Every structure is written in C-alpha cells, then in structure tokens.
Amino acid sequence: GAIYAALAASQALADEESFGRWFTPLVVSAVLCGLALLTSYAGIVLLAAVATFLGVQVERGRWLVVMGVVAVFLVIASPWLARNKVVSGGWLGLAPYAALHQSALYDGDSVDRTTAPDLGNVKVSRAVKAKVLDNMGRLLDVDLRLIGTGLIACFFLVSYFHRFESPYVANLRWCLALGLVLTLLIVAIDGEAPAGLLGVFLPLVIVYGTAFFLIVVERAEYFEAAWDVA
C-alpha cells in the first residue's frame, strides 16, 4: 500500500496535477510507513524503499517531497520512540541488544539481564558479524522462499538482467531490491525478527516475475515466427 501510494503520488507530480491529487497519496504512503515501524522496527525498510523511489523518480522538488514523507513518518512514530527514550533511555528501547541474542557472547537473551553490557568492544562486533553470516545462510536457503517459489520467483530474479523502458517500472524494481536486501540484513542481525516480513514484497515480486515471463513468451513467439519465414 505504501509503495503503491508513493507510485500514485509520483505519477501525479509528473503529470502536474492538482495539489490534492499528489499530496493525499504522499501522506498515505508516509503514514503506512510509520505504522509499519510501529508493527516492527524492521518496517523501517519500507520508508527506505519509498524515500529512495521518490528521490529518484520525482524531478521537481524531490528533496521537499522526501523530507515531507520523512516528517509525516516521524509524526506517526515519534510518540512510541519518545516513550522508549523515557522508559529505557534509548530511542529504540532494548531492540539494539537483540543483535547479541543467541550470539557467541550471550546465550539466548541473557544480555538483557546484564547490568552494564559493553557494546563498543571488538568482541561484540565480531560476535554480531558471525551471527549475521550464520543467519544469512539460513535466510538465503530457506526464508527467502517467502517471496515466492517456482518459476515466478525465478523470472523475478532474472528480470534484473532486463532493462524496462518505463522509468517508473525500472526505478521501482531497484527500490524493491533495496527493500529486500535491507530486510534480509535486519532479520539476520536481529535473529528474532520475523522473516515473514519478506512477504510484504510478494505482490510486487509476482507482478515483476509475471511481466518478465510475458516478455520472454512474446519474444519467443517473435523469433519462432521469424524462423518459419526464413
């Protein structure tokens, strides 16, 4: 929904339509990004994908548009972030400590019960890197299938070797890739964030996979006809 609204806003801006035609979907997109963060901190990747798409796609006043989306996003998320700051002293609460759950330094969530954990030493960075590498192997082998299996997912991945003529289609596809990569990285670092977050991008994966499949079929029919004529 957030990505679709951003797409509608960028199209309205390109067509120089009235203020309400582009401002409304822009606010909707920002609000949905804020709600995604309140659902899970990993939802921040949705804002990254939307902001990147708008920054690349919008030509006039792109920075104002991106800053406006971020501002509305902060309005939605700031009450919860402020609550975390008051209760735990950190904007994200205890979420950063999740990077050390089930790591080489701490068993389970024992880091949460540590009086004064030192997160700045070299051992912590090494433990996090080892955890990311271990989790990333599982994500790529198992959980990545949550974006789809079978030919559609294969056609989606191969579509990155194809150049779409429409700038909207091309730019959105790369922003989709950014969202997938960031989601994989966050889930690998957290270790407890639901890998099902990858399913958020499934509708676009199906659209791009199907589109590339139809392109392949169309070109196959063309070359077959040409071969018969020859």
Side-chain angles (χ1 to χ4, degrees):
I3 296 178
Y4 175 78
L7 183 63
S10 64
Q11 183 64 58
L13 283 169
D15 295 339
E16 298 183 352
E17 297 186 11
S18 61
F19 176 80
R21 295 296 298 273
W22 64 264
F23 183 75
T24 300
L26 197 67
V27 172
V28 170
S29 179
V31 169
L32 291 176
C33 289
L35 294 177
L37 179 72
L38 297 180
T39 302
S40 172
Y41 289 127
I44 189 67
V45 301
L46 194 58
L47 175 66
V50 167
T52 301
F53 173 73
L54 292 173
V56 172
Q57 191 61 46
V58 176
E59 296 182 358
R60 298 177 57 182
R62 66 180 63 186
W63 293 114
L64 290 176
V65 170
V66 173
M67 290 174 61
V69 169
V70 173
V72 176
F73 168 83
L74 291 176
V75 169
I76 300 299
S78 58
W80 176 254
L81 299 179
R83 175 263 179 196
N84 289 340
K85 184 66 174 179
V86 172
V87 173
S88 64
W91 295 108
L92 298 179
L94 298 178
Y97 294 98
L100 292 174
H101 290 178
Q102 298 290 351
S103 66
L105 294 180
Y106 298 95
D107 293 329
D109 59 355
S110 60
V111 65
D112 294 339
R113 297 182 292 276
T114 304
T115 304
D118 183 9
L119 300 184
N121 59 53
V122 178
K123 291 183 179 179
V124 169
S125 62
R126 291 177 179 175
V128 173
K129 290 178 182 178
K131 178 182 177 181
V132 169
L133 291 177
D134 183 60
N135 288 338
M136 191 63 73
R138 172 182 56 81
L139 288 170
L140 295 177
D141 186 49
V142 179
D143 295 325
L144 189 60
R145 298 179 183 180
L146 291 172
I147 67 171
T149 57
L151 291 177
I152 294 298
C154 293
F155 278 112
F156 163 71
L157 295 174
V158 177
S159 71
Y160 282 92
F161 294 95
H162 174 74
R163 182 178 180 180
F164 289 100
E165 296 182 0
S166 171
Y168 286 95
V169 176
N171 292 334
L172 182 60
R173 180 183 55 170
W174 288 109
C175 292
L176 172 59
L178 173 65
L180 288 171
V181 171
L182 290 179
T183 301
L184 285 172
L185 183 60
I186 291 177
V187 173
I189 293 175
D190 189 298
E192 298 176 357
L197 290 171
L198 292 169
V200 172
F201 302 101
L202 179 58
L204 289 176
V205 170
I206 294 175
V207 169
Y208 276 103
T210 303
F212 185 67
F213 171 74
L214 294 176
I215 290 174
V216 172
V217 170
E218 181 180 3
R219 291 186 176 182
E221 291 178 352
Y222 171 78
F223 284 117
E224 183 180 355
W227 178 267
D228 291 338
V229 172

